[in-house]
């Protein structure tokens, strides 16, 4: 039996009795047991619970669009089963009293949840090297990183240790690891999916989204997870389209925006540029029109993001003080200030501390207007840039990441170089629009590494975005390649 079922392939195989949900779940759990020693994609698994869920599907007690399909969940989504750690010592033993809305929706659709995946601590990172529980490795080359912060979810899928997975995207944390791991990753419009039960990093930027082997897999997961939720005030009360209904219908006269600001990015690997250029040519052969557009404030995206996100993180992470909840130091302390300081020093990793300090500084008296308020003004300008661009085009095309996967440890000593990994992805979150990454090529290395193509669409334009992505996918076979793990 294959280790690489797509979501729709697994669902159909179970429906047609070609494999039982229990058999598929056992097979996938066996794959985790044999493979995750190399990849380190999972923080925890819930094998007995998963097998019970699968058994209920086979016995007809559970049904739905994902009945029996094994799914992996990023470890910043609250679940009443297991722990929700955010890959941090601060929450190492945290047991959530409730399930995130996304978890409820997945389980209502019959999904079998295998476990929680590794991530950069509190979703802060681009390589999954910032986890308190060890670095996740890229299944295409285990010397390399899988991207981040949802690297565990992307790597689990790429390694055949689930059929689909869930991540969160604050500045590229779904799309960038999807690109580096050779899978499809979708960041929906802000407000499309409820954030209730997602442990907050930067609340105005965070959005939950799917990973799949195909655009159709991502579309199915998006459909299941989307919809208004009264528990989340930022959840938008709009009807959820059937994203699969027209997905195989090419868009006649598709207008693809090419932003000169993305083309001029320094540090772009020539192999990535070549693959993206070939993707543009293929779209033209498929009947799409390439339209030049301008996003003039793109150059300020990284700077604005790394003010707004740390400011919100500083506020959101203030609750982890060792008193209300979170890690509490065992060392002798003199007073409550000493207790909080020591607990936070022990509980948080270096990158989280760095971002808390940046955010606290930018929000402090005398600097608030100079940094935070100015970054919010830039945010408005970036949103206007996209609004103007989408008057001329349907989607905007770029690389997802400027380079293929890099060697573990290569950029850890230089935070700025790590932050620049998000140069193509952060403005999507700043503007609150939708974005998708799909495979568009591989390097020619002895161990080839995937290259990702990004398409950005207007607010709540996921239906068109998915169709545009499927146009390219249906004309290529990059999504059919699988890594070989020895």
């Amino acid at each position: 039996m294959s280790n690489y079922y797509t979501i729709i392939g697994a669902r159909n195989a179970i429906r047609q009795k070609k494999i039982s949900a229990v058999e598929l779940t056992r097979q996938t759990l066996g794959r985790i047991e044999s493979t995750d020693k190399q990849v380190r994609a999972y923080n925890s698994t819930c094998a007995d619970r998963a097998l019970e869920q699968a058994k209920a599907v086979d016995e007809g007690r559970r049904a739905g669009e994902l009945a029996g399909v094994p799914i992996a969940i990023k470890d910043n989504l609250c679940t009443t089963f297991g722990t929700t750690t955010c890959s941090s010592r601060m929450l190492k033993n945290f047991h959530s009293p409730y399930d995130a809305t996304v978890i409820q929706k997945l389980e209502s659709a019959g999904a079998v949840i295998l476990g929680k995946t590794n991530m950069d601590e509190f979703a802060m990172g681009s390589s999954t090297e910032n986890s308190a529980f060890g670095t996740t490795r890229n299944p295409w080359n285990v010397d390399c990183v899988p991207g981040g912060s949802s690297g565990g979810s992307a790597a689990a899928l790429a390694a055949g240790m689930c059929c689909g997975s869930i991540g969160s995207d604050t500045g590229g944390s779904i799309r960038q690891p999807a690109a580096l791991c050779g899978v499809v990753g979708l960041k929906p419009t802000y407000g499309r999916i409820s954030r209730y039960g997602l442990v907050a990093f930067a609340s105005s930027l965070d959005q939950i989204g799917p990973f799949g082997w195909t655009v159709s897999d991502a579309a199915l997961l998006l459909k299941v997870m989307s919809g208004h939720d009264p528990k989340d005030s930022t959840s938008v009360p709009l009807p959820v389209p059937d994203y699969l209904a027209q997905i195989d219908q090419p868009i006649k006269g598709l207008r693809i925006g090419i932003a000169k600001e993305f083309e001029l990015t320094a540090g772009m690997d020539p192999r990535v540029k070549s693959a993206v250029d070939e993707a543009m040519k293929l779209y033209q052969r498929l009947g799409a029109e390439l339209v030049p557009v301008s996003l003039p404030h793109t150059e300020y995206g990284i700077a604005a993001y790394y003010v707004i996100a740390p400011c919100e993180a500083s506020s959101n992470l203030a609750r982890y003080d060792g008193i209300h909840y979170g890690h509490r130091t065992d060392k002798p302390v003199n007073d409550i200030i000493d207790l909080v300081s020591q607990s936070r020093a022990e509980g948080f990793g270096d990158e989280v501390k760095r971002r808390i300090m940046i955010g606290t500084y930018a929000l402090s008296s005398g600097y608030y207007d100079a940094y935070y308020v100015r970054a919010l003004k830039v945010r408005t300008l970036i949103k206007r840039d996209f609004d103007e661009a989408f008057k001329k085009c349907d989607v905007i095309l770029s690389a997802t990441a400027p380079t293929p996967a890099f060697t573990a440890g290569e950029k850890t000593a230089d935070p700025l170089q790590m932050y620049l990994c998000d140069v193509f992805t952060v403005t999507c979150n700043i503007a609150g629009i939708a974005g998708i990454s799909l495979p568009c090529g591989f390097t020619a290395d002895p161990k080839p590494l995937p290259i990702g193509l990004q398409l950005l669409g207007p607010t709540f334009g996921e239906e068109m975005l998915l169709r545009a992505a499927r146009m390219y996918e249906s004309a290529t076979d990059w999504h059919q390649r699988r890594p070989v793990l020895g």
Side-chain angles (χ1 to χ4, degrees):
M1 289 187 290
S2 170
N3 291 310
Y4 293 106
Y5 274 100
T6 65
I7 292 171
I8 291 175
R11 182 191 69 175
N12 293 344
I14 292 167
R15 286 179 177 178
Q16 295 161 12
K17 309 292 187 187
K18 293 179 180 177
I19 189 170
S20 72
V22 168
E23 287 172 331
L24 181 57
T25 301
R26 285 193 193 282
Q27 175 187 322
T28 311
L29 289 168
R31 177 73 171 176
I32 294 169
E33 188 174 347
S34 65
T35 304
D36 204 35
K37 298 179 186 70
Q38 298 176 67
V39 179
R40 250 318 270 116
Y42 281 89
N43 283 343
S44 59
T45 54
C46 42
D48 291 343
R49 186 177 185 277
L51 288 167
E52 279 300 314
Q53 287 185 316
K55 183 180 178 184
V57 170
D58 289 337
E59 293 176 352
R61 292 181 285 115
R62 294 182 79 224
E65 293 191 273
L66 296 173
V69 178
I71 301 290
I73 305 295
K74 189 176 180 178
D75 203 2
N76 60 350
L77 284 162
C78 288
T79 56
T80 50
F81 53 91
T83 54
T84 301
T85 72
C86 295
S87 289
S88 176
R89 285 182 292 273
M90 184 61 78
L91 291 175
K92 185 176 182 181
N93 300 308
F94 175 63
H95 295 268
S96 171
Y98 64 93
D99 285 323
T101 297
V102 158
I103 301 297
Q104 295 173 352
K105 284 178 174 282
L106 289 167
E107 297 204 319
S108 294
V112 173
I113 294 182
L114 298 167
K116 311 291 276 292
T117 56
N118 198 16
M119 55 185 280
D120 285 296
E121 184 181 3
F122 283 101
M124 299 182 195
S126 303
S127 63
T128 317
E129 292 175 282
N130 295 328
S131 169
F133 309 133
T135 298
T136 296
R137 300 288 174 159
N138 192 312
W140 295 91
N141 183 344
V142 292
D143 292 331
C144 295
V145 300
S149 64
S150 307
S153 291
L157 176 60
M161 295 188 285
C162 60
C163 295
S165 56
I166 309 301
S168 65
D169 191 312
T170 306
S173 288
I174 290 173
R175 289 159 290 149
Q176 190 249 11
L180 269 54
C181 288
V183 299
V184 176
L186 173 68
K187 181 261 170 197
T189 304
Y190 186 81
R192 173 59 83 188
I193 294 177
S194 171
R195 292 183 300 111
Y196 180 75
L198 172 68
V199 179
F201 160 20
S203 303
S204 75
L205 301 166
D206 299 339
Q207 187 63 196
I208 299 164
F211 291 95
W213 277 113
T214 66
V215 174
S216 296
D217 281 358
L220 179 55
L221 281 177
L222 176 66
K223 179 186 174 187
V224 168
M225 294 190 294
S226 294
H228 181 243
D229 178 14
K231 295 175 183 173
D232 176 8
S233 62
T234 64
S235 171
V236 177
L238 287 176
V240 178
D242 182 352
Y243 295 113
L244 285 168
Q246 300 291 322
I247 199 166
D248 283 311
Q249 295 297 317
I251 300 172
K252 290 184 179 178
L254 176 67
R255 299 170 302 162
I256 298 177
I258 306 299
K260 61 183 179 183
E261 292 80 7
F262 286 154
E263 298 255 287
L264 298 174
T265 300
M268 170 87 92
D269 188 300
R271 296 170 296 178
V272 172
K273 186 177 188 315
S274 175
V276 172
D277 287 347
E278 286 301 314
M280 291 183 202
K281 293 173 185 175
L282 177 55
Y283 265 118
Q284 286 182 303
R285 292 197 294 274
L286 294 173
E289 177 189 0
L290 300 186
V291 180
V293 296
S294 181
L295 301 169
H297 296 94
T298 296
E299 63 178 303
Y300 306 111
I302 289 283
Y305 175 84
Y306 280 101
V307 172
I308 296 169
C311 284
E312 295 187 14
S314 170
S315 175
N316 279 325
L317 271 61
R319 70 194 74 174
Y320 304 108
D321 55 12
I323 299 169
H324 294 91
Y325 58 89
H327 169 79
R328 179 181 290 194
T329 184
D330 293 326
K331 294 180 180 176
V333 294
N334 299 317
D335 52 31
I336 191 169
I337 294 175
D338 200 11
L339 171 64
V340 172
S341 299
Q342 190 61 43
S343 297
R344 287 168 68 82
E346 293 172 3
F348 291 135
D350 289 345
E351 182 60 30
V352 174
K353 290 174 186 173
R354 181 183 292 120
R355 298 200 194 191
I356 289 172
M357 287 189 286
I358 291 170
T360 304
Y361 178 82
L363 289 173
S364 62
S365 177
Y367 297 100
Y368 178 84
D369 289 336
Y371 292 103
Y372 185 60
V373 172
R374 186 170 293 181
L376 292 181
K377 289 177 180 177
V378 172
R379 181 181 201 160
T380 300
L381 295 172
I382 288 172
K383 177 69 169 73
R384 286 177 186 167
D385 288 348
F386 279 112
D387 290 343
E388 287 301 311
F390 285 126
K391 291 177 182 177
K392 301 175 183 175
C393 65
D394 301 307
V395 297
I396 294 171
L397 181 151
S398 74
T400 309
T403 69
F406 47 91
T407 306
E410 183 180 323
K411 300 187 180 187
T412 49
D414 189 342
L416 182 58
Q417 285 302 309
M418 191 72 81
Y419 295 168
L420 289 173
C421 294
D422 303 330
V423 66
F424 296 118
T425 54
V426 293
T427 51
C428 174
N429 300 77
I430 289 171
I433 60 175
I436 191 170
S437 177
L438 63 159
C440 72
F442 284 80
T443 65
D445 303 322
K447 293 183 178 180
L449 292 167
I451 296 168
L453 176 72
Q454 178 177 247
L455 296 176
L456 301 176
T459 306
F460 299 108
E462 286 88 354
E463 197 169 9
M464 178 183 61
L465 187 66
L466 288 160
R467 285 178 64 192
R470 177 63 187 144
M471 271 179 73
Y472 176 82
E473 181 184 77
S474 64
T476 62
D477 65 355
W478 305 119
H479 62 287
Q480 296 173 0
R481 298 200 184 187
R482 302 291 183 263
V484 178
L485 280 154

